[in-house]
């Protein structure tokens, strides 16, 4: 399914539909269930701290009753509504890099809830660890010079910085 999404993004940018997939290769998908217990002090405790995903694409099945996911836009946090059985698609840092910054990897976080627990299922799409991922040549020009270095095995960089509360994408900006 992520292939369909990457093709759709390419078409949106009026590019050849396989251009992102050619960079990405077959890649790998990992899945994680997130369980957020109820928390008596939600104003003081995050379920998941603010981060951008270190993926190409993340597909997320949210809890069908309990909200919690919030996305940062223009310095404001917006709640993602609960839509039962809908899949929330998030562009990760690697799409931001490949698109030379045109598609943004949204910073998001998860709030806790004082009386309800919450569960979600995230599927993370990643390129092969040895694939070199960089801005597409088609998206580099005089008006928009190359904005990111090429990266390899971004997951490793991601986790090093995540622990420190930093965004790894800031370390590969030119
Ligand atoms: O639980 C959620 O709604 C979001 C999970 C998430 O952002 C993640 O696993 O990276
Ligand atoms: Fe995330």
């Amino acid at each position: 399914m992520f292939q369909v999404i990457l093709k759709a993004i390419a078409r949106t940018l009026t590019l050849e539909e396989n251009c992102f997939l050619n960079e990405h290769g077959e890649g790998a998908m990992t899945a994680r269930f997130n369980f957020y217990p109820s928390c008596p002090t939600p104003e003081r405790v995050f379920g998941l701290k603010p981060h951008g995903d270190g993926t190409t694409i993340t597909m997320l099945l949210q809890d069908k009753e309990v909200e919690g996911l919030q996305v940062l836009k223009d310095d404001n946090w917006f709640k993602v509504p609960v839509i039962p059985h809908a899949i929330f698609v998030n562009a990760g840092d690697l799409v931001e890099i490949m698109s030379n910054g045109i598609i943004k990897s949204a910073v998001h976080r998860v709030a806790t809830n004082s009386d309800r627990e919450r569960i979600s299922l995230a599927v993370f799409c990643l390129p092969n660890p040895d694939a070199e991922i960089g801005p597409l040549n088609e998206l580099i020009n005089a008006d928009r010079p190359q904005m990111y270095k090429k990266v390899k095995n971004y997951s490793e960089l991601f986790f090093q910085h995540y622990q420190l509360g930093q965004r790894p994408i800031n370390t590969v900006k030119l």
Side-chain angles (χ1 to χ4, degrees):
M1 181 167 162
F2 81 90
Q3 291 89 343
V4 176
I5 297 165
L6 287 181
K7 284 184 184 185
I9 295 175
R11 285 198 303 270
T12 306
L13 298 174
T14 63
L15 298 173
E16 195 281 308
E17 69 172 8
N18 287 311
C19 62
F20 288 108
L21 281 171
N22 294 343
E23 284 266 312
H24 185 278
E26 191 180 335
M29 290 202 271
T30 58
R32 180 173 75 206
F33 280 99
N34 296 303
F35 175 69
Y36 308 96
S38 60
C39 171
T41 52
E43 65 289 347
R44 288 168 54 196
V45 181
F46 286 133
L48 208 53
K49 66 185 177 184
H51 66 282
D53 289 342
T55 56
T56 317
I57 293 289
T58 305
M59 294 180 279
L60 182 78
L61 186 62
Q62 290 201 83
D63 194 291
K64 59 184 191 301
E65 290 176 5
V66 185
E67 65 178 29
L69 180 60
Q70 301 175 354
V71 175
L72 186 65
K73 185 172 188 295
D74 302 330
D75 291 330
N76 291 308
W77 288 101
F78 292 88
K79 290 180 182 177
V80 175
V82 167
I83 305 174
H85 312 299
I87 292 178
F88 177 83
V89 174
N90 189 38
D93 288 0
L94 293 169
V95 160
E96 179 166 332
I97 292 171
M98 284 192 282
S99 71
N100 202 22
I102 296 175
I103 309 280
K104 298 285 185 237
S105 162
V107 172
H108 52 284
R109 68 182 185 186
V110 179
T112 48
N113 190 300
S114 56
D115 45 35
R116 303 284 305 271
E117 59 190 36
R118 178 175 183 272
I119 197 164
S120 69
L121 170 62
V123 176
F124 302 106
C125 304
L126 295 163
N128 300 333
D130 56 351
E132 272 215 325
I133 301 290
L136 295 182
N137 286 334
E138 301 89 308
L139 298 174
I140 300 173
N141 54 46
D143 294 335
R144 180 174 279 274
Q146 180 171 351
M147 290 174 62
Y148 306 88
K149 294 179 205 160
K150 286 193 170 188
V151 299
K152 219 182 201 183
N153 200 1
Y154 191 73
S155 302
E156 201 172 292
L157 191 71
F158 180 83
F159 284 110
Q160 282 164 9
H161 288 82
Y162 184 81
Q163 309 301 347
L164 301 171
Q166 297 167 351
R167 288 203 71 190
I169 195 157
N170 291 336
T171 70
V172 299
K173 282 189 178 153
L174 288 170

